[in-house]
């Protein structure tokens, strides 16, 4: 591998670039297929709550477990693929390690699927201690252990990949501080507006994800020990803290990985550079700490939590929305305004992702306030807000990047996007809004989350959401058809001229 | 509270849709970036200050007084009705199923086996109060019922295969 830096970019051989492109495409194709399968599982859950899918409670909770773990896992690895594709252009990343993580991920997935569908494990992705070990006969200790082990294996793969990020960033920038732009932020180095936003984001992801996954590994090992040695009893509140720290970091990092698609691609589509600045560095530096410290907003209803942790969580949860609203979202809107942008499917999806991220943040910030959380915690409001910014924020970032690879740098060149892409886009957007609207309305009506069977009064909300879910699936199915038929042979868009 | 949360979300989303519509409908025209970037980046500073002021007001307005009851305080039986609540897979036990309206109730809630969620619903199926039922910890939830009636207790933390049938009832009688 070459490590020559030319104008901020790493020079690779043609074979190395080709190998990397194949690896990224493999990640994306797997992601589309898994997203589709997980969406079918999710739609089945809502249909069951709407009395439209006759499945037993045991199957419901198994589907729920797979849907939760599967969506988080695939969003994490697909987001990482977006980041990896762009980050390797600035720091020398190893394609071999990228593949190793993918292989380890698939191994973990197979073990988790075995634990759920063979071992009947239905303890939810949150695996709250001591539920995995106390199933009242619904699943065995072995099935619970397999689920925890599968997560641990997947985490190990990510840690290996992140170590490679760390090595590559240090080899190019000397320190994580320089990669984050801190000497520029604090005036120790002159401001360089062409310092890559992707390197800043990649360094933040490395730091935060590494710590989050390490905490996850600690709690998974503690729970595995407890399963086979019940004398070892960890503190349930400590375990809950570790689980939510780990879970919150993992899913947030999926967003902060995929967002580089906006920084890298919108400038291509608008012909305007995305320049880094002190405001940009300050926002990302703040996010490093905020993403790790806001998680106690999941624990407001655990009253023994220290008061300072709850107050801090409310303030930081609000604060962590500011960089989105003031830096990334605002900057993206500025790039697009009167730019003459051609709205190919990739550009549309990226614009949608900014909207979904920002708008989904509103019900999230509301729920992160203690006063509202008292009546919204663990109602459908919670899946409502995270489906908002995951379905309409993260997924369109990943999809937008995929369509960039699929259609070349300028989209479908001079033509209008194909009908399948246009139909897919509108079905996806309309369905997603209907779907999250149904969730949020359910939450505002006090409907609890994670209930296999709903009271009669609640059934119409589930039916409304199911219709939304079906439209979302139609959209993603159309996208997936394009991906399966065109992406494998699509040339490297980096070789195409920019708009 | 739930309807306020809905209105804030709806209003915020509609405003964002308006901003995005404005930008997208002005995206086909081409104008030199430098002709408007300075003005709009200057507006960004004001937007940031507005959000900081809004956040400060929300923080002070919603955290004073602090909405979660003190866990260290000893709630006297003279001033508080007391109910010991225990969550089990998959039923609730309560030391009494009857309280009176108008006098605060101290629910002392634990999870006997795994984590559960103690959620109190009124006759209109509105969630009026909740707290986690955790193993090894006693959570003190203080709630004053304004209206007499039959309240329902649902489990709000996933606790296994019969989570959704874990229900109980609480009678709130009018004070004499």
């Amino acid at each position: 591998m070459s490590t020559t830096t030319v104008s901020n970019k790493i020079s690779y051989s043609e074979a190395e670039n080709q190998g990397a492109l194949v690896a990224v495409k493999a990640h994306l194709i797997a992601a589309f297929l898994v997203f589709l399968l997980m969406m079918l599982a999710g739609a089945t859950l809502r249909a069951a709550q709407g009395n439209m899918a006759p499945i037993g409670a045991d199957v419901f909770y198994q589907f729920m477990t797979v849907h939760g773990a599967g969506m988080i896992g695939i969003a994490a690895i697909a987001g990482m693929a977006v980041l990896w594709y762009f980050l390797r252009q600035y720091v020398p990343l190893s394609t071999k390690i990228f593949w190793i993580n993918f292989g380890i991920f698939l191994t973990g997935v197979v073990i988790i699927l075995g634990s759920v569908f063979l071992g009947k494990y239905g303890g939810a992705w949150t695996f709250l201690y001591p539920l995995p070990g106390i199933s009242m006969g619904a699943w065995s200790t072995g099935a619970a252990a397999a689920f925890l082990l599968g997560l641990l294996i997947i985490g190990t793969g990510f840690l290996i990949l992140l170590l490679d990020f760390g090595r590559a960033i240090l080899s190019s920038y000397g320190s994580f501080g320089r990669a984050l732009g801190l000497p520029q932020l604090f005036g120790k180095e002159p401001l360089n507006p062409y310092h890559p936003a992707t390197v800043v984001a990649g360094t933040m992801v490395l730091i935060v994800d590494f710590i989050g996954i390490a905490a996850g590994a600690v709690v998974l090992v503690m729970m595995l020990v407890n399963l086979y040695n019940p004398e070892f009893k960890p503190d349930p509140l400590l375990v809950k803290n570790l689980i939510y720290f780990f879970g919150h970091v993992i899913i947030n990092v999926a967003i902060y990985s995929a967002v580089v698609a906006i920084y890298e691609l919108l400038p291509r589509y608008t012909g305007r550079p995305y320049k880094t600045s002190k405001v940009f560095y300050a926002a990302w530096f703040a996010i490093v700490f905020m993403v790790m410290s806001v998680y106690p907003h999941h624990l407001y209803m655990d009253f023994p939590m220290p008061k300072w942790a709850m107050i801090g969580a409310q303030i930081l949860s609000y604060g962590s929305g500011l960089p989105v609203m003031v830096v990334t979202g605002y900057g993206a809107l500025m790039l697009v305004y009167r730019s003459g942008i051609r709205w190919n499917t990739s550009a549309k999806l990226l614009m949608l992702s900014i909207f979904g991220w920002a708008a989904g943040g509103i019900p999230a910030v509301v729920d992160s306030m203690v006063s509202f959380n008292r009546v919204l915690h663990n109602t459908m409001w919670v899946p409502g807000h995270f489906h908002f910014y995951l379905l309409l924020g993260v997924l369109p970032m990943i999809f937008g990047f995929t369509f960039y690879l699929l259609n070349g740098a300028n989209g479908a060149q001079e033509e209008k996007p194909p009908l399948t892409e246009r139909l897919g886009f509108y079905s996806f957007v309309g369905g997603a809004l209907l779907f999250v609207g149904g969730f949020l309305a359910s939450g505002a009506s006090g409907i609890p989350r994670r209930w296999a069977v709903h009271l009669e009064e609640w059934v119409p909300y589930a039916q409304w959401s199911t219709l939304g879910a079906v439209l979302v699936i139609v959209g993603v199915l159309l996208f997936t058809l394009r991906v399966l038929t065109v992406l494998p042979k699509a040339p490297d868009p980096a070789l195409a001229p920019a708009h | 509270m739930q309807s306020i949360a809905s209105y804030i979300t709806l209003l915020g989303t509609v405003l964002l849709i308006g901003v995005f519509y404005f930008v997208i409908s002005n995206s086909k025209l081409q104008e030199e970036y430098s002709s408007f970037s300075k003005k709009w980046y200057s507006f960004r500073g004001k937007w940031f200050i507005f959000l900081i002021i809004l956040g400060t007001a929300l923080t002070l307005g919603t955290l004073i007084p602090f909405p979660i009851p003190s866990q260290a305080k000893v709630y006297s039986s003279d001033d508080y009705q007391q109910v010991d609540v225990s969550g089990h897979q998959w039923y609730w036990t309560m030391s009494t199923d009857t309280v009176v309206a108008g006098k605060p109730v101290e629910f002392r809630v634990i999870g006997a086996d795994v984590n559960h969620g103690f959620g109190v619903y009124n006759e209109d199926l509105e969630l009026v109060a909740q707290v986690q039922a955790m193993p090894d910890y006693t959570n003190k939830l203080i709630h004053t019922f304004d209206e007499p009636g039959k309240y329902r207790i649902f489990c709000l933390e996933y606790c296994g295969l019969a989570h959704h049938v874990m229900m109980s009832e609480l009678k709130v009688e009018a004070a004499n």
Side-chain angles (χ1 to χ4, degrees):
Chain A
M1 178 187 293
S2 167
T3 55
T4 315
T5 304
V6 181
S7 317
N8 251 345
K9 294 241 178 177
I10 303 290
S11 167
Y12 296 92
S13 71
E14 200 176 315
E16 285 171 331
N17 281 332
Q18 201 52 41
L21 187 64
V22 169
V24 170
K25 285 179 178 177
H27 278 68
L28 293 173
I29 289 168
F32 270 81
L33 293 173
V34 176
F35 279 135
L36 201 53
L37 283 174
M38 293 300 110
M39 283 174 178
L40 284 168
T44 306
L45 298 177
R46 284 306 261 160
Q49 291 169 336
N51 292 341
M52 296 184 293
I55 57 171
D58 52 344
V59 176
F60 179 95
Y61 291 122
Q62 287 162 24
F63 272 34
M64 185 187 81
T65 301
V66 165
H67 177 77
M71 278 299 192
I72 293 170
I74 201 66
I77 203 151
M80 202 58 92
V82 178
L83 175 60
W84 189 86
Y85 176 86
F86 290 115
L87 187 61
R88 74 180 287 278
Q89 297 176 11
Y90 305 102
V91 300
L93 292 175
S94 159
T95 305
K96 195 182 285 180
I97 288 179
F98 189 51
W99 274 118
I100 287 173
N101 177 43
F102 190 58
I104 292 174
F105 177 79
L106 293 180
T107 307
V109 168
V110 169
I111 293 172
I112 288 173
L113 290 176
S115 81
V116 173
F117 291 119
L118 300 177
K120 311 289 181 198
Y121 175 76
W125 82 263
T126 42
F127 56 90
L128 281 188
Y129 170 78
L131 179 60
I134 307 179
S135 71
M136 301 289 274
W139 59 82
S140 65
T141 301
F147 183 84
L148 300 175
L149 195 65
L151 288 183
L152 192 60
I153 287 170
I154 288 172
T156 307
F158 274 104
L159 285 179
I160 293 169
L161 182 67
L162 291 168
L163 282 173
D164 192 48
F165 277 26
R167 175 201 56 76
I169 290 170
L170 288 176
S171 74
S172 294
Y173 288 90
S175 74
F176 295 139
R178 278 197 75 221
L180 283 169
L182 298 187
Q184 298 178 56
L185 173 64
F186 296 117
K188 292 185 177 167
E189 282 182 15
L191 195 62
N192 170 16
Y194 296 100
H195 181 72
T198 295
V199 170
V200 177
T203 309
M204 174 270 178
V205 163
L206 157 68
I207 296 168
V208 171
D209 215 17
F210 198 91
I211 296 170
I213 291 173
V218 168
V219 74
L220 286 165
V221 170
M222 280 163 72
M223 289 180 64
L224 277 165
V225 172
N226 168 266
L227 279 180
Y228 290 101
N229 178 18
E231 295 294 306
F232 171 72
K233 289 184 190 299
D235 182 313
L237 187 57
L238 170 68
V239 173
K240 210 184 243 188
N241 271 271
L242 285 166
I243 289 173
Y244 281 119
F245 174 74
F246 158 68
H248 189 86
V249 162
I250 292 289
I251 198 60
N252 267 267
V253 162
I255 309 175
Y256 290 106
S257 308
V259 77
V260 298
I262 290 169
Y263 296 143
E264 293 281 351
L265 298 181
L266 271 190
R268 274 183 168 260
Y269 297 144
T270 59
R272 293 172 176 167
Y274 194 102
K275 292 181 184 173
T276 42
S277 62
K278 284 195 177 190
V279 173
F280 181 87
Y281 298 135
W284 277 87
F285 188 46
I287 279 294
V288 169
F289 300 99
M290 284 177 175
V291 165
M292 290 194 288
S293 51
V294 299
Y295 82 89
H297 65 206
H298 291 281
L299 299 168
Y300 292 146
M301 292 302 109
D302 294 281
F303 290 175
M305 280 290 286
K307 190 173 169 181
W308 58 263
M310 299 193 188
I311 294 172
Q314 175 169 324
I315 294 169
L316 291 169
S317 300
Y318 180 87
S320 65
L322 296 184
V324 182
M325 303 295 274
V326 177
V327 179
T328 303
Y330 197 95
L333 289 171
M334 291 273 291
L335 283 187
V336 169
Y337 181 72
R338 295 194 174 169
S339 63
I341 187 172
R342 190 163 45 244
W343 287 107
N344 62 37
T345 307
S346 171
K348 277 189 210 167
L349 284 163
L350 292 176
M351 195 67 172
L352 173 67
S353 76
I354 301 159
F355 167 76
W357 192 14
I362 298 167
V365 166
V366 168
D367 187 50
S368 70
M369 294 163 71
V370 181
S371 301
F372 285 108
N373 192 263
R374 290 167 72 200
V375 288
L376 295 174
H377 181 81
N378 274 351
T379 68
M380 288 296 214
W381 187 272
V382 181
H385 77 61
F386 70 66
H387 276 89
F388 205 145
Y389 57 71
L390 295 177
L391 189 59
L392 282 159
V394 180
L395 257 64
M397 287 175 195
I398 296 163
F399 292 177
F401 169 68
T402 308
F403 277 94
Y404 158 76
L405 288 187
L406 194 149
N407 285 331
N410 290 328
Q413 306 302 331
E414 299 304 320
E415 300 163 19
K416 277 208 294 190
L419 185 63
T420 45
E421 289 184 14
R422 280 181 284 148
L423 279 178
F425 180 80
Y426 291 111
S427 184
F428 178 78
V429 176
L433 286 171
L434 193 63
F435 180 70
V436 297
F439 259 124
L440 291 171
S442 304
S445 301
I447 303 176
R449 70 190 290 202
R450 298 188 172 126
W451 273 37
V453 182
H454 275 192
L455 303 183
E456 271 312 307
E457 293 90 333
W458 299 337
V459 166
Y461 293 94
Q463 292 178 336
W464 165 11
S465 276
T466 306
L467 175 63
V470 169
L471 288 171
V472 168
I473 289 170
V474 168
V476 176
L477 185 63
L478 290 170
F479 287 161
T480 306
L481 289 174
R482 287 282 294 159
V483 167
L484 291 178
T485 52
V486 181
L487 185 64
K489 289 182 181 169
D492 189 349
L495 302 175
H499 170 54
Chain B
M1 287 303 281
Q2 288 95 329
S3 55
I4 297 172
S6 300
Y7 290 135
I8 292 172
T9 302
L10 197 60
L11 182 68
T13 305
V14 168
L15 282 174
L16 267 177
I17 288 174
V19 170
F20 274 74
Y21 178 78
F22 173 74
V23 171
I24 291 167
S25 62
N26 276 286
S27 64
K28 290 278 188 184
L29 288 171
Q30 209 157 358
E31 193 179 322
E32 193 56 41
Y33 191 47
S34 57
S35 66
F36 62 85
S37 61
K38 198 174 172 191
K39 175 185 153 196
W40 283 104
Y41 270 118
S42 144
F43 179 77
R44 183 174 75 168
K46 291 173 189 146
W47 170 236
F48 181 63
I49 289 166
F50 167 76
L51 288 174
I52 292 285
I53 293 169
L54 179 68
T56 308
L58 285 174
T59 302
L60 296 174
T62 60
L63 290 179
I64 303 173
F66 193 60
I68 290 174
S70 165
Q71 300 297 294
K73 183 176 166 183
V74 177
Y75 296 91
S76 112
S77 56
D78 294 338
D79 302 325
Y80 293 84
Q81 306 173 78
Q82 282 155 341
V83 183
D84 289 313
V85 181
S86 182
H88 305 253
Q89 285 172 313
W90 288 285
Y91 59 93
W92 295 103
T93 60
M94 291 192 284
S95 56
T96 174
D97 62 358
T98 307
V99 295
V100 295
K103 184 178 179 184
V105 183
E106 180 200 11
F107 292 102
R108 295 184 291 221
V109 184
I110 61 161
D113 35 41
V114 300
N115 283 277
H116 301 274
F118 179 71
V120 184
Y121 284 73
N122 66 17
E123 287 177 359
D124 297 329
L125 278 177
E126 289 166 346
L127 176 57
V128 297
Q130 68 167 316
V131 67
Q132 287 271 305
M134 305 160 64
D136 299 354
Y137 287 87
T138 301
N139 292 4
K140 297 175 184 172
L141 168 69
I142 309 295
H143 184 74
T144 305
F145 292 91
D146 297 326
E147 299 290 331
K150 277 187 184 171
Y151 286 74
R152 287 197 257 182
I153 311 299
F154 295 157
C155 184
L156 294 185
E157 183 61 77
Y158 178 63
C159 57
L161 295 199
H163 166 54
H164 57 282
V165 296
M166 197 171 150
M167 299 175 186
S168 193
E169 214 171 73
L170 180 72
K171 286 190 275 296
V172 177
E173 295 176 343
N176 291 326

